[in-house]
Amino acid sequence: MMVRQALHEATQYLKQARCDNPRLDAEVLLMKAWEATPTQLFIRALDELPQKVHENFQDMLEQRYQRQPIAYITGCKEFWSRDFEVSPDVLIPRPETEHLIEEVLKCYPDQDAAYDFSEIGTGSGCIAITLACEYPHAKILATDISEKALDIARKNAAKHGVLKRIHFRQGDLYQAFPNDLSPLDILLSNPPYLSLQHMDDIEQELRYEPRIALTDQQDGLSLMRQILSGACRWLKPHGYCLVETGLGGLPETHKPLVLDHPYYDLAGILRGGLYHHKAL
Ligand code: GLN
């Protein structure tokens, strides 16, 4: 079958599954099946699709028809212009989480300093690894409750050459922190913040993602509250705690941890908050 025709049929097929961007999905999957760049796909539009590639493409289309996320089918997702391996053991990195990186860069513009950072619930490792790449002298502790997620994060850290500067530890929230951890310049987290109620009407793709990375099974803020209320024990005086959030908003905190400012995504929606440790 001709490439152009295969793409047309695939698009129709994915439309039936009510995918949001059927044409784009079909192109991305065909590029993956053929290991082709967008330009190569374009110039091959009138070529015959090789049999083997066609078979791989069909397999991927069937997965997508079941509304599996593209990133789980291709096994990778871009974050802050770098590629990360992903699997159903980790949350798929979201573009809006890049705002978290922007906030760190605004807090600490000197990228050559030797900061101590820590991330709770690292998942694919995209946040911790991006920070390790952007701050080549920083030391980072990255934790997750899931050992399987940490396996993926370690692979991603190795791929980006920062495995030596990130200490990965398994455990629930602060239980994963070693007692002798150096005081932190910034503690950050993109915790599970969807409420249990919200989980009833999530889109089909989200059902493939790890539930423990999406929801606290309560009001969506319980883990964030625990992170914020424990933060000062680990922060330097004047260190920061940065969290991503969703519809639940930002929890109140008590002195000495005070909200410095909320931040918003490109659509103007509240996305997170930067809290400041105002120690005397
Ligand atoms: N950002 C995800 C979503 O709304 C939720 C991930 C999370 O809870 N941290 O789809």
Side-chain angles (χ1 to χ4, degrees), residues 183-201:
L184 300 169
D185 292 286
I186 197 155
L187 166 68
L188 67 168
S189 184
N190 173 17
Y193 53 66
L194 301 184
S195 67
L196 186 58
Q197 199 183 5
H198 189 136
M199 289 300 285
D200 288 339
D201 47 38

Side-chain angles (χ1 to χ4, degrees), residues 120 173-174 187 221-235 241-243 251-258 275 277:
I120 293 179
L173 304 177
Y174 293 112
L187 166 68
L221 291 180
S222 64
L223 296 174
M224 208 178 303
R225 282 195 206 97
Q226 288 181 55
I227 291 168
L228 291 167
S229 64
C232 292
R233 149 80 177 83
W234 305 96
L235 292 177
C241 185
L242 179 61
V243 288
E252 296 269 324
T253 54
H254 301 290
K255 279 184 186 165
L257 192 71
V258 294
Y275 293 81
H277 184 203

Side-chain angles (χ1 to χ4, degrees), residues 13 47 50 90 107 125 133 136 156-157 164 166 173 177 182 186 194 196 220 233 259 279:
Y13 182 57
D47 291 0
V90 299
C107 275
C133 293
N156 280 321
K164 280 207 182 118
I166 305 182
L173 304 177
F177 280 36
S182 305
I186 197 155
L194 301 184
L196 186 58
R233 149 80 177 83
L259 182 64

Side-chain angles (χ1 to χ4, degrees), residues 91 94 96-97 190-194 198 206 209 213-215 244 271:
L91 190 80
R94 309 285 205 269
E96 57 267 26
T97 301
N190 173 17
Y193 53 66
L194 301 184
H198 189 136
L206 262 71
E209 297 195 79
L214 291 171
T215 180
E244 180 173 315
R271 262 300 146 201

